[in-house]
Amino acid sequence: MMIKDDGSASHVEGAEEGESHGYRTFASSEEAEAALALFQNTEELHEPMDPEKEKALVWKIDKMILPYLAVCYCFFYIDKTTLSYAALFGIQEDLHLRGTQYNWLSSLFYFGFLFWALPTNFLLQRLPVGKYLGINIFMWGFFLMWQAACKNFVSLAILRVLSGAAEACADPAFMLITSMWYTRRQQPIRIGLWYTANGLGIAGGGILGYGIGHIKGALASWKYEFLIIGALCASWGVVMFVFLPDSPVSARFLSKEERRMAVERLRDDQTGIENKTLKPYQIREAFCDMKVYLFFLLGIVCNIPNGGISNFGTLIIQGFEFSTLATTLLQIPYGIMISLSILACVFVNDRLPPNSRCYMVVVFMIPNIAGAFGLMYVRQEQHIARLICYYLTGPYNAAFVLILSLQIGNVAGHTKKVVTNATLFLGYCVGNIAGPFFYKTDERPTYTLGIASMIFCHLAEVVLILALRFLLSRENKRRDKLQEGVQRDLDATAFGDLSDKENTNFRYIY
C-alpha cells in the first residue's frame, strides 16, 4: 500500500495502474520520468544488480563526468579572480576607475548572474544539459577575452554583466548533473571532488598571475590576464559541448544495460532523474516551502564573505606589505588549503553516521570564524599571523559543498529542483553583489567593515544550518509516524517526477 498525504492526491490520482505487475505508469508519457523509457515493466526495475558491475559503472561515470566539471570549476574560480589580479596589474589606473567603481565592477558580474538565473534554470530543464552548459561556458570565455579591449568603466561594466549572465547556468547545471548520476550518499563526495577545483583555481590563478605578471609585451599585464584565461575558458566550453553527456538516459558512452543500471540504482532516493515538462504546481510548491527560503538565506550569508574575499583577497594580502608578484604567489597556499579542507570534509562526512551533514557544516565553519576574528583583532604589524588568519578563512568552501549536497538531496520533482536551484543561486548572487561594498577604500588595507561582515555572516550561517536540520528532522519523524506499520512501495513513486512534499516515501537528509 502507498500512503498519500493531502498535498499529493491531486497529482498522483491521475496515474493509472499498469496492466501487469501493479507498476504505476502515467496517463501522459510527458508526466513520467524520461528514465522510464529504458524499462518496459517492473521486473526490469528489479533485476538484481551485480555489486562488481555497479562499482565498475560508478567508476566509468566518474571518469565520464567529474573531469569535465572539475576543470570547468577550476576556470570558474580563476575567472572570479581575474578582476582581482587585474587590480594588482594596474587596471584601476589604466581605466581611470574612481571611488566605488571597482566595487561596482565586482558586483555587476552578479547582476548579470541574478538577471539570468531563473531563465537559465528553466532552459536547463528544457534543453540538453551538456550542450547548453558547453555553449554558456564558451560565451563566458568569449566575453572575458573582450574585457581586454575595454577603454573605460562603462564598456567593462557591460561585459561584466554579460559574463555573469553566461556563467549563471554553471553551478545549477553542475548540481543537476550530480543529482542525475549519483545517489544521495555519493553526492557529497562528488560535489566535493569537482568543487575542490575551486581551490585549485585559486592556486592556478596565482601561478597564472605570476607568469602573466612577467610578460613584457605590447599590452598591459591585466589585458593578458583576460585574454589568456578567456581563451582557455572558451576552449573548454567546446570540449564540454562535444563530450559531456546530457543524462544517464541518453549517454552514448554507456551501453543500454549500463544506462538501466545508472537509473535503477537511484530508485531508493526517490528524487528522480530528469523530466522536460514544466509543472506549475511544483513552482508554487517551491515558493511555499520553508526550506527553499532557508537555502536562499544560506546562499546570501555564505557568499557575502566570498564576494569580498574573491575580489579583495589579493589586496588584503598586499596590505601585509608583500610585493605585487609575491602577493600572487601567496594565493597558492590559500587555494591548496581550500582544496584540502573540502576533501577532508566530504570524506569524513562519508564515514560518519547518516544525517551528520549539518553538524559537519558547523565544524568546518569554526576555522573561518577564528580566522575572521584574527583579521579583526591581530595587530597590523604582525604580518605572518594575519596571513595565517587569512588562510583560515578558506574552509567556508567545504561547508558550502555540504550545503549544496543538502539542497540537491532534499528536493524532488524536476521543476521544483530547477526552482530551488535558482533560488539558492539568487541568494548566491545577492551575497556576491553585496560583499564587495563592505570593503571600503578608505579602510584599506585592514577593511574593518568587510571583516566584520564575514564574522556576522559565518555566525548567521551556523544558526540557519541548525534551523534547517531541525526542520528536516521533524518532517522525517512525522512521515515515519504516518507510515508506521505500512510497507512503503518505492516503485510507485521512484520515477513519477513527484515532489518531495507529495511523495511521502521521500525521506530528508540532514
Side-chain angles (χ1 to χ4, degrees):
M1 158 178 196
M2 175 186 168
I3 300 290
K4 301 193 294 271
D5 63 16
D6 293 340
S8 66
S10 62
H11 306 297
V12 180
E13 287 173 1
E16 299 174 350
E17 292 295 333
E19 294 180 1
S20 61
H21 312 295
Y23 183 65
R24 188 178 298 274
T25 59
F26 284 79
S28 165
S29 62
E30 292 184 352
E31 291 294 318
E33 279 279 342
L36 290 180
L38 294 173
F39 303 94
Q40 295 181 1
N41 55 59
T42 189
E43 290 179 354
E44 292 185 349
L45 263 174
H46 287 290
E47 289 177 357
M49 192 178 298
D50 184 336
E52 289 302 316
K53 283 187 176 181
E54 183 181 8
K55 185 177 179 180
L57 174 63
V58 172
W59 175 237
K60 188 173 183 179
I61 292 170
D62 285 342
K63 292 187 292 182
M64 190 170 59
I65 299 296
L66 294 180
Y68 297 114
L69 301 190
V71 173
C72 187
Y73 217 78
C74 183
F75 286 133
F76 184 64
Y77 204 84
I78 290 176
D79 171 59
K80 288 283 192 305
T81 58
T82 51
L83 188 64
S84 182
Y85 286 111
L88 281 178
F89 295 143
I91 192 174
Q92 296 185 72
E93 293 76 18
D94 289 354
L95 298 192
H96 309 292
L97 302 181
R98 299 288 181 266
T100 60
Q101 286 183 331
Y102 177 77
N103 306 63
W104 274 107
L105 289 174
S106 304
S107 295
L108 281 169
F109 177 92
Y110 293 100
F111 276 104
F113 200 122
L114 183 67
F115 170 77
W116 196 238
L118 200 57
T120 204
N121 272 272
F122 286 124
L123 287 170
L124 277 170
Q125 180 176 13
R126 299 293 296 174
L127 300 174
V129 175
K131 304 295 183 292
Y132 183 67
L133 180 59
I135 290 171
N136 278 270
I137 299 307
F138 175 83
M139 294 306 299
W140 155 29
F142 176 78
F143 291 135
L144 188 60
M145 291 175 68
W146 267 105
Q147 290 177 42
C150 291
K151 304 293 185 184
N152 51 47
F153 169 77
V154 174
S155 57
L156 186 55
I158 292 169
L159 285 169
R160 293 285 294 172
V161 172
L162 292 174
S163 295
E167 198 174 298
C169 79
D171 273 305
F174 289 5
M175 291 169 68
L176 278 178
I177 290 167
T178 304
S179 67
M180 284 181 188
W181 289 95
Y182 296 103
T183 65
R184 293 198 293 180
R185 176 67 185 268
Q186 295 168 336
Q187 285 166 8
I189 286 182
R190 270 59 187 192
I191 295 174
L193 288 173
W194 55 254
Y195 205 96
T196 294
N198 185 334
L200 298 178
I202 295 174
I207 295 170
L208 280 170
Y210 185 78
I212 290 168
H214 281 85
I215 294 176
K216 305 300 181 185
L219 302 176
S221 293
W222 62 267
K223 294 190 176 187
Y224 287 113
E225 182 85 15
F226 289 132
L227 287 170
I228 292 171
I229 295 172
L232 291 172
C233 290
S235 300
W236 194 249
V238 174
V239 171
M240 294 186 74
F241 181 90
V242 174
F243 294 107
L244 183 66
D246 296 310
S247 82
V249 179
S250 60
R252 66 179 184 272
F253 300 108
L254 300 180
S255 67
K256 186 173 182 180
E257 180 188 5
E258 287 173 329
R259 291 198 295 271
R260 285 181 175 180
M261 289 174 61
V263 167
E264 202 278 332
R265 70 192 201 89
L266 302 182
R267 179 174 61 94
D268 290 349
D269 285 350
Q270 298 286 302
T271 54
I273 304 288
E274 182 181 31
N275 189 290
K276 296 297 185 185
T277 304
L278 183 68
K279 298 184 177 179
Y281 83 87
Q282 290 190 8
I283 298 175
R284 291 192 298 270
E285 181 181 302
F287 287 113
C288 294
D289 190 337
M290 177 59 71
K291 70 177 180 291
V292 174
Y293 293 98
L294 287 175
F295 283 124
F296 173 72
L297 292 174
L298 283 166
I300 294 175
V301 299
C302 291
N303 287 285
I304 286 178
N306 182 68
I309 288 293
S310 62
N311 291 289
F312 287 86
T314 55
L315 299 178
I316 290 173
I317 293 176
Q318 195 176 41
F320 304 154
E321 299 184 7
F322 294 106
S323 69
T324 297
L325 291 178
T327 297
T328 65
L329 291 178
L330 286 170
Q331 283 286 72
I332 296 174
Y334 185 64
I336 292 171
M337 183 169 184
I338 288 173
S339 295
L340 292 177
S341 67
I342 291 171
L343 292 175
C345 181
V346 296
F347 280 102
V348 170
N349 174 74
D350 191 57
R351 285 155 179 77
L352 292 176
N355 295 326
S356 299
R357 296 187 196 185
C358 290
Y359 290 143
M360 284 295 291
V361 170
V362 174
V363 168
F364 275 79
M365 289 308 301
I366 293 172
N368 300 274
I369 295 169
F373 271 106
L375 287 174
M376 176 70 76
Y377 293 112
V378 173
R379 292 195 304 274
Q380 190 173 345
E381 60 270 18
Q382 295 182 330
H383 299 146
I384 300 302
R386 288 179 64 80
L387 181 63
I388 292 170
C389 291
Y390 172 75
Y391 287 156
L392 285 175
T393 64
Y396 76 89
N397 290 273
F400 193 56
V401 165
L402 287 187
I403 290 171
L404 294 180
S405 78
L406 286 165
Q407 193 260 299
I408 62 173
N410 283 311
V411 179
H414 202 77
T415 300
K416 187 175 180 181
K417 286 181 187 178
V418 166
V419 174
T420 308
N421 281 352
T423 303
L424 173 63
F425 284 101
L426 287 173
Y428 169 92
C429 290
V430 171
N432 278 289
I433 288 170
F437 288 97
F438 290 101
Y439 292 76
K440 295 182 175 295
T441 304
D442 58 4
E443 293 183 346
R444 185 175 177 175
T446 56
Y447 296 110
T448 305
L449 182 61
I451 303 306
S453 72
M454 289 177 61
I455 294 172
F456 174 83
C457 288
H458 290 331
L459 294 174
E461 184 176 343
V462 171
V463 173
L464 289 170
I465 203 68
L466 293 177
L468 178 67
R469 189 184 195 282
F470 171 77
L471 183 73
L472 299 179
S473 173
R474 185 181 64 178
E475 178 60 19
N476 274 1
K477 291 175 183 176
R478 186 189 73 82
R479 294 185 180 204
D480 288 342
K481 185 175 181 181
L482 181 66
Q483 293 186 315
E484 191 174 0
V486 176
Q487 183 177 357
R488 295 164 62 198
D489 185 359
L490 299 181
D491 290 339
T493 54
F495 301 113
D497 195 39
L498 304 177
S499 73
D500 55 281
K501 287 290 186 183
E502 63 183 328
N503 178 7
T504 53
N505 283 335
F506 187 92
R507 291 297 182 272
Y508 296 99
I509 52 175
Y510 46 84

